[in-house]
């Protein structure tokens, strides 16, 4: 199958729009919806007609692509739904295939203006957006609750976000403005076939606003059960909102979710717990908007190369494949690879295990998570991984005990035995430390540690002592670096309601208490 040439696509669009007066091109990048869409609201207020466009960027596809097939499939389902949304408004979605800067630069001469949303990003996305801004008359609309172009984005931040979350939701009226579309022979089915998108993950969600609304309503019906379901991975799969991939692709806006949940009655504690997560969603997006380096650089320059000297590809591979000899870590990593999702506690535990107990560089793990997660939001994924790895320098001793996580969050072994079936026959009392299983028990159940399941890749107590010693050696320098205004600004946290917020967040779901072990003491902090 050959892709339509850029010339053919551009010709089809120009023939359609050249005779249309004052038409604005709305470039959908991430927000795949029509209602409560800042760029659409701007375009419909400023122009007489709109042309909604999505560009299929080859950089995201193929063996060297930037996302796993499951996330691409979710996006394609969301695009099909977006096409239906525009059809219900009397128009359609125009899809193009090619390099965005080249296509938009050519189209710029045929439309009155190009608009899109100002989405916080880094790396490729930031380079692409900057190149488009250089080449085109484009407006990045930033009505998303974040603060930009002010001396201190944290000044008045809480009030600003609250105003965004409670403001009226804009709905598109197809009768008030013509919505044009062009048949380019590109649609979601073409993309799926052209790039042979065939996800191997066991995905339980379908992309698109229609499904997002259904998931949201189902969650609201059981909202009162939310507080008790965020920690244990099995409970979290059905007891948390599962809205994070829909927010990542903008099938619903954070504001739409906030108002729907806030309007629900009879679930005061659960409502407050969940809506606070939406503030944190905006908070970490603000951090990436403030500093794009979150995706590539350690926040604290003293810790930029932390663990480089102990980098061990074999240890990294054991972590990625779930063969570390720690059942909770192995179950979580296999679940991630096979489903594209983990609740926050498991994400944090796996990040801590890689960077603390295995002493491996944080970016390797963050990139792996970002590739596999269905809800991979650059702002939340990279800020959280850095915080859990301690490379911001503010709270470096956040060491999870993977044995304790078994006892606390999978005492009956349901999660472990599902994802680590070679331990299915092992009595649950040995799941926190399979290597301690008596040999006669191993023989009776047919589980042989070191053969059918590996010995621990590191000994926990020794690894914990080693990382504490390593952290203490750099603590003074890292603390001093935090006094530099720029470093402090990156690492600092906003305040809401006058109270300093804790140093962790979620990919919308599961802020939980984490085990923080410092100087031999354990404390539980509720990360909200």
């Amino acid at each position: 199958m050959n892709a339509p040439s850029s010339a053919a696509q551009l010709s089809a669009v120009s023939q359609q729009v050249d005779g249309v007066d004052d038409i604005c091109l709305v470039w959908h990048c991430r927000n795949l919806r029509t209602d409560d869409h800042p760029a659409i609201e701007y375009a419909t207020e400023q122009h007489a007609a709109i042309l909604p466009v999505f560009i299929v960027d080859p950089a995201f596809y193929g063996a060297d692509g930037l996302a796993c097939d499951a996330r691409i499939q979710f996006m394609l389902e969301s695009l099909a739904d977006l096409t239906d949304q525009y059809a219900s408004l009397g128009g359609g979605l125009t899809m193009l295939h090619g390099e965005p800067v080249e296509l938009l630069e050519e189209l710029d001469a045929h439309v009155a203006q190009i608009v899109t949303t100002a989405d916080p990003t880094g790396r490729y996305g930031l380079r692409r957006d900057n190149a488009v801004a250089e080449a085109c008359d484009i407006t990045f609309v930033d009505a998303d609750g974040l603060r930009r172009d002010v001396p201190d984005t944290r000044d008045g931040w809480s009030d600003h976000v609250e105003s965004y979350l409670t403001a009226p939701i804009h709905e598109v009226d197809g009768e008030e403005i013509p919505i044009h579309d062009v048949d380019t022979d590109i649609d979601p089915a073409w993309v799926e076939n052209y790039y042979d998108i065939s996800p191997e993950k066991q995905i339980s969600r379908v992309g698109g606003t229609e499904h997002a609304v259904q998931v949201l309503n189902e969650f609201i019906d059981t909202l009162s059960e939310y507080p008790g379901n965020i920690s244990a991975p099995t409970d979290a799969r059905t007891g948390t909102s599962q809205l994070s991939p829909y927010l990542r692709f903008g099938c619903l806006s954070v504001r739409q979710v906030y108002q729907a949940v806030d309007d629900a009655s009879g679930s005061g504690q659960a409502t407050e717990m969940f809506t606070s997560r939406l503030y944190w969603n905006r908070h970490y997006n603000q951090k990436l908007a403030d500093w794009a380096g979150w995706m590539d650089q350690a926040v604290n320059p003293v810790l930029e190369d932390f663990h480089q000297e102990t980098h061990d590809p074999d240890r990294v591979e054991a972590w990625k494949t779930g063969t570390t000899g720690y059942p909770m870590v192995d179950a979580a990593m296999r679940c991630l690879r096979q489903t594209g999702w983990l609740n926050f506690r498991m994400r944090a535990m796996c990040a801590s295990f890689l960077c603390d107990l295995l002493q491996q560089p944080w970016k390797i793990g963050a990139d792996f998570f970002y590739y596999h997660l269905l809800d991979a939001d650059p702002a939340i994924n990279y800020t959280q991984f850095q915080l859990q790895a301690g490379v911001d320098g503010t709270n470096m001793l956040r060491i999870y005990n993977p044995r304790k996580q078994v006892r606390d969050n999978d005492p009956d072994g349901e999660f472990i035995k599902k994802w680590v079936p070679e331990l299915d026959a092992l009595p649950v009392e040995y799941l926190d430390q399979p290597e301690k299983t008596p040999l006669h028990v191993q023989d009776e159940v047919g589980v042989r540690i070191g053969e059918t399941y590996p010995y621990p890749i590191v000994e926990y107590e020794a690894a914990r002592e080693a990382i504490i010693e390593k952290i203490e050696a750099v603590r003074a320098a890292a603390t001093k670096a935090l006094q530099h205004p720029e470093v402090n600004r990156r690492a600092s946290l906003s305040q809401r309601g006058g109270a300093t917020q804790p140093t962790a967040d979620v990919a919308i779901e599961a802020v939980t208490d984490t085990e923080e072990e410092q100087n031999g003491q354990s404390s539980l902090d509720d990360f909200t």
Side-chain angles (χ1 to χ4, degrees), residues 252-264:
L252 290 173
S253 69
V254 172
R255 175 163 51 198
Q256 287 173 307
V257 174
Y258 177 91
Q259 294 189 15
V261 174
D262 194 52
D263 287 343

Side-chain angles (χ1 to χ4, degrees), residues 269-338:
Q269 179 191 10
T271 299
E272 174 62 26
M273 285 184 67
F274 183 79
T275 54
S276 72
R277 275 65 175 172
L278 299 175
Y279 277 89
W280 282 109
N281 176 291
R282 295 295 80 194
H283 168 78
Y284 281 95
N285 272 272
Q286 181 71 64
K287 291 180 82 69
L288 186 61
D290 288 348
W291 184 58
W294 278 99
M295 297 179 69
D296 292 299
Q297 300 172 241
V299 171
N300 194 309
V302 169
L303 302 170
E304 178 64 33
D305 297 320
F306 206 48
H307 299 323
Q308 286 294 339
E309 81 288 354
T310 50
H311 178 213
D312 183 339
D314 290 339
R315 287 189 171 189
V316 172
E317 186 64 17
W319 178 80
K320 288 180 176 180
T321 56
T323 54
T324 68
Y326 283 87
M328 201 65 160
V329 173
D330 293 342
M333 293 303 295
R334 296 184 197 186
C335 178
L336 168 65
R337 289 171 66 109
Q338 294 183 49

Side-chain angles (χ1 to χ4, degrees), residues 168-370:
I169 291 172
H170 176 262
E171 296 182 356
V172 181
D173 187 343
E175 295 183 359
E176 291 186 358
I177 186 166
I179 301 172
H180 293 261
D181 64 294
V182 180
D183 183 5
T184 61
D185 294 327
I186 306 292
D187 60 20
W190 180 91
V191 178
E192 183 176 356
N193 291 329
Y194 184 76
Y195 285 104
D196 189 25
I197 305 301
S198 51
E200 297 180 354
K201 298 187 189 302
Q202 305 166 22
I203 304 302
S204 60
R205 294 300 182 199
V206 178
T209 298
E210 180 180 0
H211 289 279
V213 170
Q214 179 181 345
V215 172
L216 173 59
N217 290 335
E218 290 172 352
F219 174 63
I220 289 173
D221 288 342
T222 60
L223 181 60
S224 61
E225 302 172 14
Y226 174 71
N229 286 323
I230 59 179
S231 296
T234 300
D235 294 341
R237 171 59 78 175
T238 56
T240 53
S241 78
Q242 298 293 294
L243 286 166
S244 50
Y246 298 104
L247 289 173
R248 185 263 177 268
F249 283 102
C251 301
L252 290 173
S253 69
V254 172
R255 175 163 51 198
Q256 287 173 307
V257 174
Y258 177 91
Q259 294 189 15
V261 174
D262 194 52
D263 287 343
S265 60
S267 303
Q269 179 191 10
T271 299
E272 174 62 26
M273 285 184 67
F274 183 79
T275 54
S276 72
R277 275 65 175 172
L278 299 175
Y279 277 89
W280 282 109
N281 176 291
R282 295 295 80 194
H283 168 78
Y284 281 95
N285 272 272
Q286 181 71 64
K287 291 180 82 69
L288 186 61
D290 288 348
W291 184 58
W294 278 99
M295 297 179 69
D296 292 299
Q297 300 172 241
V299 171
N300 194 309
V302 169
L303 302 170
E304 178 64 33
D305 297 320
F306 206 48
H307 299 323
Q308 286 294 339
E309 81 288 354
T310 50
H311 178 213
D312 183 339
D314 290 339
R315 287 189 171 189
V316 172
E317 186 64 17
W319 178 80
K320 288 180 176 180
T321 56
T323 54
T324 68
Y326 283 87
M328 201 65 160
V329 173
D330 293 342
M333 293 303 295
R334 296 184 197 186
C335 178
L336 168 65
R337 289 171 66 109
Q338 294 183 49
T339 72
W341 189 82
L342 282 175
N343 67 318
F344 173 70
R345 181 184 284 266
M346 294 299 101
R347 298 186 198 197
M349 176 193 68
C350 290
S352 169
F353 187 87
L354 177 73
C355 299
D356 292 330
L357 300 183
L358 299 188
Q359 294 193 26
Q360 299 304 298
W362 72 272
K363 190 170 174 293
I364 294 173
D367 286 346
F368 186 80
F369 267 33
Y370 189 72

Side-chain angles (χ1 to χ4, degrees), residues 411 426-433:
L426 196 71
V428 294
E429 60 265 31
Y430 301 114
L431 284 177
D432 61 336
Q433 289 183 267

